[in-house]
Amino acid sequence: MHRTTLLNILPGLLLILACARLGMAAGFAKSGVDQQGVAIGGNLSVADVSNPKPSPGDVLLPMPGGLSLALRPVCVPTGGYLDASEEKHGVASTDYGYREQTHMVRINALFEMKDLPAAWGDGARQGILGDPGCASQSQHQKPFLYFIGKYELSRAQWRAVMDNPGDAPLTLAADDDKPQTNISWFDVLDFTRRYTDWLLKNRPEVLPYFAAAKRPAYIRLPSEEEWEYAARGGHKVARADRAAVTVHPPIPDGAELGEYVAARLYLPTRSSLAPIGSLKPSVLGLHDMAGNAAEMVLSPFQLVFAGQRLGGDGGLVLKGGSYLATSEKELHPGGRLEYDYFWGGKANGDDTVGFRLALGGIFTPTDRLDALRGEWARRSKPVAAGGSEADDARSKIHTAASAITDPKTLNALKEAEDTVSTYHQKVNDSEERMIRETLLGAMFTLEVIANYTYRCEEAAAQLQANQEDIDSELKKKPILEKLLQEPGKPATEHARYKDMLAVVNEKITGFQKNLPDQKKAVHRAATYIRGALFYYLATLRELERFESGRVAAQMEAVGQRFAQPDEDENSFSGSMQRRVDILRGHLSHGATAPLTETDVLRGMVSDRRFKTIEPYL
């Protein structure tokens, strides 16, 4: 071959060889997607099937075949191992109350910041610490974490674990970026076992690890509570807003749900699953929690009655609805569809049912036993209502038992000690709940005060404007009356003054007729303000009987649940954040003189508004 010809074609040959080599592991880059998120032209890359939309805070775990699994952190800020966040799950208005009626759940999470492996780098850790919703800077609350799949598991990820002996580079096929479906719950359990085995054998350093217990974390399905908490927006959404979610967590103004949810409700022509990551993520960075493939969870189905789940376990639970959904009810994060484990003589699977993964572990590794025992012991003491060590009946029972040798009597005393311990736990928990509810009452009272000061100012302004109108017309009246009495006026001019006087009198009568209602509106608003201020100060006095550290801890818990510091100040959570700040300041009021109603009101409203409403209080 001619040397010039060889030089001309050599770059092309090298490019072909490079692309062929890349294609063995990843395929060629995808050129684009259509309106349904379906690939247009070209093959797929590793990114397309693993993490097509990288974002800060992603946790990437390696997978066989050169792929990866993207996880997102979800925070459940609580005060300790035995604390939990109370959440309202389910659907408020449903035809299927027996399966998805609203009910309260208490959710906590396994991992602490110290459990995160060094192999994850600083990005995930810094993202969590810098997240206001994670209580990273809190004295009494700290972030307990779980990690859930950023996407539904793709077909390529499934094949990399299940059909890829020897961990060979994975050759990607068409639709490998679609969610894996047509598998049973038992297949998924087998997948999680195989994938965990692979990680433990090949990349154990990427898993959280409890060194003393020699217990690593592992891959599993998320529980229903974990799934729904994340689907509602998790720590990125205030508690009241989480409870109000009907399809998807809040989206930016001007955006459409069809940009986030792959379902026929938003695109009637949708005829297939969308590739993972082809639609926009939620505030938590999660894709397709509503729509696309319905998702399996780890928890079995339980009936719901009177706001509680009943104890019997049924089939498996499907969450989130699929791309076939044509109504919001099918996509609601609180929806719960019971699905058979077996159907047609075999383990059940469907082409609309997939799953996403989570990172799990045990709550009681040896590394934590001392801390757990300490927290258990502290919560078993009579701390409620100012109880002291001298009030601890457990120690008295324990002392009495030391002088007894009869086994039956010892067992009876042990049962008594356990009963007292459980009683103290319940009383302490009940008192903490009481503190939280009292704090919430105070916060909403502040909101009432703020609303009625605005109403009072508006009503006072209307009253003042009306009075000014009356005064203005009253000034005109004697002038017109004098003009009418002047002799020698032409009849037409006399008639004109007479008409003008009639109009003035009519206006005065109308304005004066409005006065009683306007005065009532002002005084009604002022009465509500006075009543709310009285109640608020009484609430603060009620909180004084509790130990200040416990009140401060519950204040932080309330703030975490209802307020987001970075929210728009006009939103619910932004408004609640202002109330949190005011209440926290009043709880730490250190002045010699007691807090007064005037102190509270002056601290809440502008000087202008205060001066406007003060005369009516």
Side-chain angles (χ1 to χ4, degrees):
M1 183 178 293
H2 195 276
R3 183 172 181 271
T4 303
T5 305
L6 181 60
L7 289 174
N8 287 338
I9 67 171
L10 186 56
L13 288 171
L14 292 174
L15 178 61
I16 292 171
L17 290 172
C19 290
R21 182 181 179 186
L22 180 62
M24 292 179 62
F28 298 101
K30 184 166 58 175
S31 60
V33 295
D34 66 12
Q35 287 185 341
Q36 295 195 45
V38 178
I40 302 174
N43 295 322
L44 300 172
S45 69
V46 166
D48 293 328
V49 300
S50 298
N51 190 19
K53 298 285 179 64
S55 55
D58 288 348
V59 174
L60 299 179
L61 301 185
M63 297 188 77
L67 275 59
S68 63
L69 174 71
L71 301 170
R72 295 292 298 176
V74 186
C75 295
V76 185
T78 63
Y81 298 113
L82 301 179
D83 281 328
S85 179
E86 294 180 343
E87 300 290 329
K88 182 183 285 188
H89 284 183
V91 183
S93 178
T94 176
D95 298 329
Y96 306 101
Y98 51 85
R99 78 183 187 203
E100 55 193 19
Q101 178 189 46
T102 53
H103 53 280
M104 297 303 295
V105 301
R106 301 188 73 183
I107 182 171
N108 57 6
L110 170 66
F111 300 108
E112 300 177 75
M113 292 297 298
K114 64 183 181 182
D115 300 323
L116 307 189
W120 288 6
D122 293 332
R125 185 174 282 98
Q126 290 172 354
I128 294 166
L129 289 173
D131 189 334
C134 280
S136 56
Q137 308 302 321
S138 171
Q139 179 182 356
H140 300 285
Q141 299 273 302
K142 59 181 178 178
F144 284 85
L145 306 158
Y146 66 92
F147 297 87
I148 192 168
K150 182 176 179 178
Y151 313 96
E152 295 162 329
L153 195 90
S154 71
R155 296 175 186 179
Q157 290 171 311
W158 176 270
R159 290 194 299 106
V161 171
M162 303 297 281
D163 304 319
N164 191 34
D167 192 15
L170 192 68
T171 301
L172 298 178
D175 289 342
D176 262 356
D177 57 349
K178 300 284 185 69
Q180 177 65 41
T181 57
N182 280 314
I183 33 85
S184 73
W185 188 79
F186 304 99
D187 294 330
V188 176
L189 294 190
D190 188 35
F191 175 93
T192 61
R193 178 190 61 80
R194 292 193 192 192
Y195 182 26
T196 302
D197 283 344
W198 183 88
L199 286 169
L200 292 173
K201 179 180 178 181
N202 296 278
R203 296 294 302 276
E205 75 280 1
V206 303
L207 291 173
Y209 188 73
F210 303 109
K214 297 182 179 179
R215 301 280 186 136
Y218 50 83
I219 303 298
R220 61 165 171 81
L221 283 170
S223 70
E224 182 178 357
E225 291 78 10
E226 291 170 338
W227 190 99
E228 187 164 339
Y229 179 79
R232 291 178 180 272
H235 65 278
K236 292 286 191 179
V237 176
R239 183 175 183 262
D241 295 330
R242 284 198 297 271
V245 170
T246 57
V247 173
H248 190 278
I251 60 176
D253 292 341
E256 300 288 340
L257 276 176
E259 302 174 56
Y260 296 81
V261 182
R264 285 185 177 173
L265 175 62
Y266 306 109
L267 184 66
T269 58
R270 183 171 292 283
S271 59
S272 65
L273 293 161
I276 64 169
S278 56
L279 279 79
K280 293 181 178 179
S282 73
V283 289
L284 270 179
L286 302 174
H287 294 260
D288 298 321
M289 294 293 278
N292 215 24
E295 298 183 23
M296 307 179 200
V297 294
L298 190 61
S299 316
F301 179 87
Q302 296 173 325
L303 290 169
V304 179
F305 183 71
Q308 294 182 331
R309 291 191 194 170
L310 305 184
D313 291 343
L316 67 96
V317 175
L318 297 184
K319 302 287 286 184
S322 75
Y323 71 91
L324 297 176
T326 56
S327 72
E328 287 191 354
K329 288 183 178 181
E330 297 174 80
L331 300 166
H332 197 296
R336 308 172 67 237
L337 181 64
E338 186 177 19
Y339 193 68
D340 295 276
Y341 287 107
F342 295 91
W343 184 261
K346 63 178 182 178
N348 196 12
D350 188 89
D351 60 5
T352 63
V353 177
F355 66 100
R356 73 182 64 227
L357 295 171
L359 197 58
I362 65 170
F363 277 98
T364 57
T366 305
D367 311 59
R368 282 190 185 168
L369 291 184
D370 288 343
L372 279 167
R373 289 190 186 109
E375 191 170 319
W376 176 269
R378 177 176 60 80
R379 289 176 168 273
S380 300
K381 291 180 179 180
V383 296
S388 65
E389 293 293 334
D391 302 313
D392 193 352
R394 299 175 311 150
S395 60
K396 297 176 182 179
I397 295 172
H398 195 73
T399 301
S402 63
I404 295 173
T405 57
D406 178 58
K408 289 185 178 180
T409 305
L410 283 173
N411 285 336
L413 288 171
K414 176 60 178 171
E415 289 180 8
E417 186 179 347
D418 290 342
T419 300
V420 171
S421 176
T422 301
Y423 169 76
H424 286 320
Q425 291 166 21
K426 289 181 178 179
V427 171
N428 292 333
D429 186 66
S430 177
E431 188 168 275
E432 288 171 1
R433 191 187 303 269
M434 185 188 306
I435 294 171
R436 287 197 299 272
E437 291 175 355
T438 303
L439 290 168
L440 278 173
M443 287 170 59
F444 281 106
T445 303
L446 287 173
E447 191 68 17
V448 169
I449 294 169
N451 287 336
Y452 276 99
T453 53
Y454 173 77
R455 294 188 190 185
C456 189
E457 182 189 34
E458 289 289 298
Q462 291 177 9
L463 176 61
Q464 182 179 354
N466 195 38
Q467 188 62 58
E468 289 174 353
D469 289 338
I470 292 173
D471 294 342
S472 175
E473 297 303 319
L474 286 173
K475 289 179 181 178
K476 297 176 185 177
K477 184 174 179 177
I479 297 173
L480 291 170
E481 288 175 340
K482 185 177 179 181
L483 289 171
L484 280 172
Q485 293 173 2
E486 290 180 359
K489 294 284 185 185
T492 55
E493 192 171 346
H494 186 276
R496 182 165 63 87
Y497 288 140
K498 187 176 181 180
D499 290 341
M500 291 174 65
L501 182 60
V503 170
V504 167
N505 286 328
E506 185 179 355
K507 285 183 177 181
I508 291 172
T509 302
F511 291 145
Q512 288 177 334
K513 186 177 180 181
N514 291 333
L515 278 177
D517 287 341
Q518 289 175 331
K519 289 179 179 178
K520 279 184 182 179
V522 174
H523 290 294
R524 185 186 302 115
T527 299
Y528 282 128
I529 294 170
R530 289 194 299 270
L533 285 168
F534 177 83
Y535 176 82
Y536 179 72
L537 290 177
T539 301
L540 293 183
R541 289 193 295 272
E542 177 71 15
L543 290 167
E544 287 175 359
R545 73 185 184 89
F546 300 108
E547 193 270 322
S548 60
R550 301 180 74 206
V551 175
Q554 296 308 315
M555 184 73 252
E556 291 200 2
V558 168
Q560 284 292 329
R561 292 178 184 181
F562 288 93
Q564 294 285 342
D566 57 350
E567 281 280 335
D568 176 8
E569 64 176 13
N570 295 319
S571 68
F572 173 82
S573 58
S575 174
M576 293 300 281
Q577 180 62 45
R578 293 198 301 276
R579 309 306 165 219
V580 166
D581 294 339
I582 293 170
L583 178 54
R584 187 176 283 122
H586 291 161
L587 290 172
S588 59
H589 180 71
T592 305
L595 198 67
T596 67
E597 294 177 354
T598 301
D599 294 331
V600 174
L601 200 55
R602 276 192 176 279
M604 290 185 61
V605 302
S606 66
D607 288 340
R608 176 187 57 78
R609 182 167 294 175
F610 180 80
K611 289 176 181 178
T612 301
I613 67 176
E614 185 183 20
Y616 305 100
L617 297 176

